[in-house]
Amino acid sequence: MSVLVITENRAGQWNRMSWEALAAGQQLGAKLGLPVSAAVVGADVGLLAAELTQKKLARVYTVTHDLLAQYTADGYVAALQQLVDKVRPEYVLFPHTYQVRDFAPALATRFKQALISDVTAIHDGPIFVRQLMQGKLNADYKHAGNGIRFVSVQAGTFRSDAVQNAEAGACEIETFSPQLEASQLRSKPGKLFRESAQTVDLSAAQIIVSVGRGIKEKENLGIIEELAAALGAEIAASRPICDNGWLPMERQVGSSGQTVSPKLYLAVGISGAIQHLVGMKGAKTIVAINKDEHAPIFEVADYGIVGDLFEVVPALTRAIKEAKSS
């Protein structure tokens, strides 16, 4: 018995959520005392597989075939069904990406199982936590009966640095060549979706100052800019700020924006809607400034300041400048 993590890549580049899925898989494996393996799917994934061998896994599987060079749901379902039949893991974990949403439910159905999707936490049992009603409720799910269990994990929930910065491991690569025929692929790959070019990659920022609707007016953004400059930080925002055009959309953090994991994340005037939280919960340290002591952001913050941001932020900026000059 084992935990098998299905990673995702495109054109030889990792989807960064693969690391979060690996972190979830290792957490689950530790709870159950099970070894954790990972699979990489594609036509030429040797370099990606070699990178995974350094991540403290029991085994890395390369699922390779010419028909897997480009993603199709039929190809992935057929190939991974054969891999899962061979490995017979107790749990199969995926990152909850658009691609996984396309094929994973069909794969789970092949084994007469349901996919528990978009999981935000794993408790002893194991109990898998999902959010309902736009994050207003948490629901606990547990598999009933026997069979292989299929789970996908929400972006920004499991900290990828737990995998990337862990002590190096060493494991074997096993090549798995599924039996595929072109006639099995009912759909043909189309032109790849390309996101608009971004001038700011917030995922690489070490310090982020993020602003929400508590700033009230665009003209008030100056105090946020001064704080960011004092810290050497990037500026980000919640969706209302970007929807109003006060900051460009590329600076939005959240489920419809960028997912970030900086060393320090300052949330200024952000209430903490679930759509925003999923984009920043991977931060190592979260500091929240909000005048509402019951704001949801304080539930995930490491440090909270209850107060008027128009008083707190300038005072904080002055204190940072004084500390740097002394």
Side-chain angles (χ1 to χ4, degrees):
M1 304 301 284
S2 64
V3 175
L4 176 64
V5 179
I6 309 299
T7 62
E8 183 174 314
N9 70 91
R10 177 186 288 183
Q13 300 295 319
W14 289 114
N15 182 314
R16 61 190 176 204
M17 280 189 62
S18 292
W19 304 113
E20 298 174 21
L22 283 169
Q26 291 181 337
Q27 183 183 124
L28 179 61
K31 287 179 180 295
L32 299 176
L34 295 176
V36 180
S37 298
V40 192
V41 184
D44 183 12
V45 291
L47 292 177
L48 296 176
E51 185 176 351
L52 282 181
T53 62
Q54 308 302 313
K55 303 302 180 185
K56 285 231 163 192
L57 296 165
R59 189 173 297 271
V60 173
Y61 297 94
T62 57
V63 185
T64 60
H65 196 285
D66 289 344
L67 292 175
L68 298 173
Q70 290 182 286
Y71 168 77
T72 63
D74 289 336
Y76 269 55
V77 169
L80 290 172
Q81 181 183 6
Q82 295 173 46
L83 176 68
V84 173
D85 270 330
K86 170 185 169 61
V87 178
R88 303 305 298 180
E90 187 168 353
Y91 289 89
V92 180
L93 266 66
F94 310 87
H96 191 71
T97 63
Y98 289 111
Q99 182 170 290
V100 165
R101 295 177 212 181
D102 188 42
F103 78 85
L107 177 62
T109 302
R110 294 283 180 95
F111 292 90
K112 295 181 170 54
Q113 297 290 325
L115 171 71
I116 299 180
S117 63
D118 221 10
V119 165
T120 60
I122 302 173
H123 298 157
D124 291 342
I127 301 294
F128 298 97
V129 181
R130 296 182 70 243
Q131 293 182 323
L132 305 175
M133 305 291 289
Q134 295 187 330
K136 294 180 174 64
L137 296 175
N138 284 341
D140 292 344
Y141 291 76
K142 184 176 183 179
H143 288 91
N146 299 317
I148 300 169
R149 287 82 173 211
F150 295 83
V151 177
S152 69
V153 298
Q154 187 181 95
T157 300
F158 295 88
R159 300 179 85 154
S160 60
D161 59 329
V163 174
Q164 293 173 302
N165 299 331
E167 180 183 352
C171 68
E172 294 182 358
I173 297 176
E174 181 174 330
T175 301
F176 179 76
S177 301
Q179 300 299 311
L180 295 177
E181 300 291 340
S183 59
Q184 294 176 268
L185 310 186
R186 295 169 295 176
S187 60
K188 302 300 180 185
K191 185 177 180 180
L192 289 177
F193 170 76
R194 292 178 180 271
E195 296 181 354
S196 60
Q198 292 181 334
T199 58
V200 178
D201 181 11
L202 294 176
S203 65
Q206 296 298 303
I207 304 175
I208 293 176
V209 176
S210 194
V211 61
R213 69 179 75 201
I215 199 67
K216 296 182 180 179
E217 297 178 359
K218 181 178 181 179
E219 290 69 23
N220 295 330
L221 287 174
I223 62 171
I224 303 299
E225 294 169 350
E226 290 180 14
L227 175 58
L231 286 168
E234 287 285 358
I235 296 177
S238 61
R239 181 169 180 169
I241 300 300
C242 296
D243 282 348
N244 287 336
W246 298 356
L247 286 173
M249 295 302 296
E250 63 196 39
R251 292 193 179 272
Q252 180 185 331
V253 169
S255 57
S256 55
Q258 296 198 50
T259 299
V260 300
S261 52
K263 292 182 178 179
L264 176 62
Y265 189 90
L266 275 75
V268 182
I270 293 174
S271 62
I274 183 59
Q275 292 86 351
H276 185 78
L277 296 184
V278 298
M280 45 70 72
K281 285 200 297 185
K284 292 183 179 179
T285 302
I286 300 170
V287 177
I289 302 172
N290 200 295
K291 65 180 180 181
D292 179 6
E293 63 181 304
H294 301 295
I297 191 69
F298 289 125
E299 295 179 11
V300 299
D302 298 288
Y303 301 95
I305 302 173
V306 178
D308 187 337
L309 71 85
F310 296 103
E311 297 177 0
V312 174
V313 170
L316 183 58
T317 302
R318 287 194 298 271
I320 293 169
K321 290 180 177 179
E322 291 172 2
K324 283 187 171 182
S325 62
S326 62

